[in-house]
Coordinates of all heavy atoms in Angstrom, one line a residue:
E1 N 211.8 87.4 139.7 CA 210.4 87.5 139.3 C 209.5 87.5 140.6 O 209.4 86.4 141.2 CB 210.0 86.2 138.4 CG 210.7 86.3 137.1 CD 210.1 87.3 136.2 OE1 208.9 87.6 136.3 OE2 210.8 87.9 135.4
G2 N 209.0 88.6 140.9 CA 208.3 88.8 142.2 C 207.0 87.9 142.2 O 206.4 87.6 141.2
Y3 N 206.7 87.4 143.5 CA 205.5 86.5 143.6 C 204.9 86.7 145.0 O 205.5 87.3 145.9 CB 205.9 85.1 143.3 CG 206.9 84.5 144.3 CD1 206.5 83.8 145.5 CD2 208.3 84.5 144.0 CE1 207.5 83.2 146.3 CE2 209.2 83.9 144.8 CZ 208.8 83.3 146.0 OH 209.8 82.8 146.8
F4 N 203.8 86.1 145.2 CA 203.1 86.1 146.5 C 203.3 84.8 147.2 O 203.3 83.7 146.6 CB 201.6 86.4 146.4 CG 201.3 87.8 146.0 CD1 200.6 88.0 144.8 CD2 201.7 88.9 146.8 CE1 200.3 89.3 144.5 CE2 201.4 90.2 146.4 CZ 200.6 90.4 145.3
L5 N 203.5 84.8 148.5 CA 203.4 83.7 149.4 C 202.1 83.9 150.3 O 202.0 85.0 150.9 CB 204.6 83.5 150.3 CG 204.6 82.5 151.4 CD1 204.6 81.1 150.7 CD2 205.8 82.6 152.3
I6 N 201.2 82.9 150.4 CA 200.0 83.1 151.1 C 199.9 82.1 152.2 O 200.1 80.9 152.0 CB 198.8 83.0 150.1 CG1 198.9 83.9 148.9 CG2 197.5 83.2 150.8 CD1 198.0 83.7 147.8
L7 N 199.6 82.5 153.4 CA 199.5 81.7 154.6 C 198.2 81.9 155.3 O 197.5 82.8 155.0 CB 200.6 82.0 155.6 CG 202.1 82.0 155.0 CD1 202.5 83.4 154.7 CD2 203.1 81.4 156.0
S8 N 197.8 80.9 156.2 CA 196.6 81.1 156.9 C 196.8 80.5 158.3 O 197.6 79.7 158.6 CB 195.4 80.4 156.2 OG 195.5 79.0 156.4
S9 N 195.9 81.0 159.2 CA 195.9 80.5 160.6 C 194.5 80.7 161.2 O 193.7 81.6 160.8 CB 196.9 81.3 161.4 OG 196.8 81.0 162.8
Q10 N 194.2 79.8 162.2 CA 192.9 79.9 162.9 C 193.0 81.1 163.9 O 192.0 81.6 164.4 CB 192.6 78.6 163.6 CG 192.1 77.5 162.7 CD 191.6 76.3 163.5 OE1 192.2 76.0 164.5 NE2 190.6 75.6 162.9
N11 N 194.2 81.4 164.3 CA 194.4 82.5 165.3 C 195.3 83.6 164.7 O 196.3 83.3 164.0 CB 195.1 81.9 166.5 CG 194.3 80.8 167.2 OD1 193.2 81.0 167.6 ND2 194.9 79.6 167.2
L12 N 195.1 84.8 165.0 CA 195.8 85.9 164.5 C 197.3 85.8 164.8 O 198.2 86.1 164.0 CB 195.3 87.3 165.0 CG 196.0 88.5 164.6 CD1 196.0 88.7 163.1 CD2 195.4 89.8 165.2
L13 N 197.6 85.3 166.0 CA 199.0 85.2 166.5 C 199.6 83.8 166.1 O 200.6 83.4 166.7 CB 199.1 85.5 168.0 CG 198.8 86.9 168.4 CD1 198.9 87.1 169.9 CD2 199.6 87.9 167.6
G14 N 199.0 83.1 165.2 CA 199.5 81.9 164.7 C 199.2 80.7 165.5 O 198.5 80.7 166.5
P15 N 199.8 79.5 165.0 CA 200.8 79.4 163.9 C 200.1 79.5 162.6 O 199.0 79.1 162.4 CB 201.4 78.0 164.2 CG 200.2 77.2 164.8 CD 199.5 78.2 165.7
Y16 N 200.9 79.9 161.6 CA 200.5 80.0 160.2 C 201.0 78.9 159.3 O 202.2 78.5 159.6 CB 200.9 81.4 159.6 CG 200.1 82.5 160.0 CD1 200.3 83.1 161.3 CD2 199.1 83.1 159.2 CE1 199.5 84.2 161.7 CE2 198.3 84.1 159.7 CZ 198.5 84.7 160.9 OH 197.8 85.8 161.3
R17 N 200.2 78.4 158.4 CA 200.7 77.4 157.5 C 200.7 78.0 156.1 O 199.8 78.8 155.8 CB 199.8 76.2 157.6 CG 198.4 76.4 157.0 CD 197.5 75.2 157.2 NE 196.2 75.3 156.5 CZ 195.1 74.7 156.8 NH1 195.1 73.9 157.9 NH2 194.0 74.9 156.1
I18 N 201.5 77.5 155.2 CA 201.6 77.9 153.9 C 200.5 77.3 153.1 O 200.3 76.1 153.1 CB 203.0 77.6 153.2 CG1 204.1 78.4 153.9 CG2 203.0 77.9 151.7 CD1 205.5 78.1 153.4
E19 N 199.7 78.2 152.4 CA 198.6 77.7 151.5 C 199.0 77.8 150.0 O 198.5 76.9 149.3 CB 197.4 78.6 151.8 CG 196.8 78.6 153.2 CD 196.1 77.3 153.5 OE1 195.9 76.4 152.6 OE2 195.6 77.1 154.7
K20 N 199.7 78.8 149.7 CA 200.1 78.9 148.2 C 201.4 79.6 148.1 O 201.7 80.6 148.8 CB 199.0 79.7 147.5 CG 199.1 79.7 146.0 CD 197.9 80.4 145.3 CE 196.6 79.7 145.6 NZ 196.5 78.5 144.7
D21 N 202.3 79.1 147.3 CA 203.6 79.6 147.1 C 203.8 79.9 145.7 O 203.2 79.4 144.8 CB 204.7 78.6 147.6 CG 206.0 79.2 148.0 OD1 206.2 80.4 147.7 OD2 206.9 78.5 148.5
L22 N 204.8 80.8 145.4 CA 205.1 81.2 144.0 C 203.9 81.6 143.2 O 203.8 81.3 142.0 CB 205.9 80.0 143.3 CG 207.2 79.6 143.9 CD1 207.6 78.3 143.4 CD2 208.2 80.7 143.7
Y23 N 203.0 82.4 143.8 CA 201.8 82.7 143.2 C 201.9 84.1 142.5 O 202.3 85.1 143.1 CB 200.6 82.8 144.2 CG 199.3 83.1 143.6 CD1 198.8 82.4 142.5 CD2 198.5 84.2 144.1 CE1 197.5 82.7 142.0 CE2 197.3 84.5 143.6 CZ 196.8 83.8 142.5 OH 195.6 84.1 142.0
R24 N 201.6 84.0 141.2 CA 201.7 85.2 140.3 C 200.4 85.4 139.6 O 200.1 84.8 138.6 CB 202.8 85.1 139.3 CG 204.2 85.0 139.9 CD 205.3 85.0 138.9 NE 206.6 85.0 139.5 CZ 207.4 83.9 139.7 NH1 206.9 82.7 139.3 NH2 208.5 84.0 140.2
P25 N 199.5 86.2 140.1 CA 198.2 86.4 139.5 C 198.3 86.9 138.1 O 199.2 87.8 137.8 CB 197.5 87.5 140.4 CG 198.2 87.4 141.7 CD 199.6 87.0 141.4
F26 N 197.5 86.3 137.2 CA 197.5 86.7 135.8 C 198.9 86.6 135.1 O 199.2 87.2 134.1 CB 197.0 88.2 135.6 CG 195.8 88.4 136.4 CD1 195.8 89.3 137.5 CD2 194.6 87.8 136.2 CE1 194.7 89.6 138.3 CE2 193.5 88.1 137.0 CZ 193.5 88.9 138.0
G27 N 199.8 85.8 135.7 CA 201.1 85.5 135.1 C 202.1 86.6 135.2 O 203.1 86.7 134.5
T28 N 201.8 87.6 136.1 CA 202.7 88.7 136.2 C 203.8 88.6 137.3 O 203.7 87.7 138.2 CB 201.8 90.0 136.6 OG1 201.3 89.7 137.9 CG2 200.7 90.2 135.6
S29 N 204.8 89.4 137.2 CA 205.7 89.6 138.3 C 205.2 90.6 139.2 O 204.8 91.7 138.8 CB 207.1 90.0 137.8 OG 208.0 90.2 138.8
V30 N 205.0 90.3 140.5 CA 204.3 91.1 141.4 C 205.2 92.0 142.2 O 206.4 91.7 142.5 CB 203.4 90.3 142.4 CG1 202.5 89.3 141.6 CG2 204.2 89.6 143.4
G31 N 204.7 93.2 142.7 CA 205.4 94.1 143.5 C 204.6 94.5 144.7 O 203.7 93.7 145.2
D32 N 204.8 95.7 145.3 CA 204.1 96.2 146.4 C 202.6 96.0 146.3 O 202.1 96.3 145.2 CB 204.4 97.6 146.7 CG 205.9 97.8 147.2 OD1 206.5 96.8 147.5 OD2 206.3 98.9 147.3
F33 N 201.9 95.8 147.4 CA 200.4 95.5 147.3 C 199.7 95.9 148.5 O 200.3 96.2 149.5 CB 200.3 94.0 147.0 CG 200.5 93.1 148.2 CD1 199.4 92.6 148.9 CD2 201.7 92.9 148.7 CE1 199.5 91.8 150.1 CE2 201.9 92.1 149.9 CZ 200.8 91.5 150.5
D34 N 198.4 95.8 148.4 CA 197.5 95.9 149.6 C 196.3 95.0 149.4 O 195.9 94.7 148.3 CB 197.1 97.4 149.8 CG 196.6 97.7 151.2 OD1 196.7 96.8 152.0 OD2 196.1 98.8 151.4
L35 N 195.7 94.6 150.6 CA 194.5 93.9 150.6 C 193.4 94.8 151.3 O 193.7 95.6 152.2 CB 194.6 92.6 151.4 CG 195.6 91.6 151.0 CD1 195.7 90.4 152.0 CD2 195.3 91.0 149.6
W36 N 192.1 94.6 150.9 CA 191.0 95.3 151.5 C 189.8 94.4 151.5 O 189.6 93.6 150.6 CB 190.7 96.6 150.7 CG 189.6 97.3 151.3 CD1 189.5 98.0 152.5 CD2 188.3 97.5 150.7 NE1 188.2 98.5 152.7 CE2 187.5 98.3 151.6 CE3 187.7 97.1 149.5 CZ2 186.2 98.6 151.3 CZ3 186.4 97.4 149.2 CH2 185.6 98.2 150.1

């Protein structure tokens, strides 16, 4: 069941921390994606 892992950082080159795990928008199984 595909899902998103979301991380954040103050710097582009890290370090990154996990903000949200096992995230499935609208209860769906997720696949390939893009952000804009």
Side-chain angles (χ1 to χ4, degrees):
E1 290 291 325
Y3 62 90
F4 289 121
L5 174 68
I6 305 169
L7 308 95
S8 79
S9 174
Q10 287 186 326
N11 303 297
L12 178 58
L13 295 180
Y16 282 80
R17 72 187 186 204
I18 293 176
E19 299 285 357
K20 192 177 291 287
D21 202 351
L22 299 167
Y23 181 52
R24 297 185 176 95
F26 315 112
T28 63
S29 177
V30 310
D32 290 350
F33 76 103
D34 199 6
L35 300 176
W36 177 70

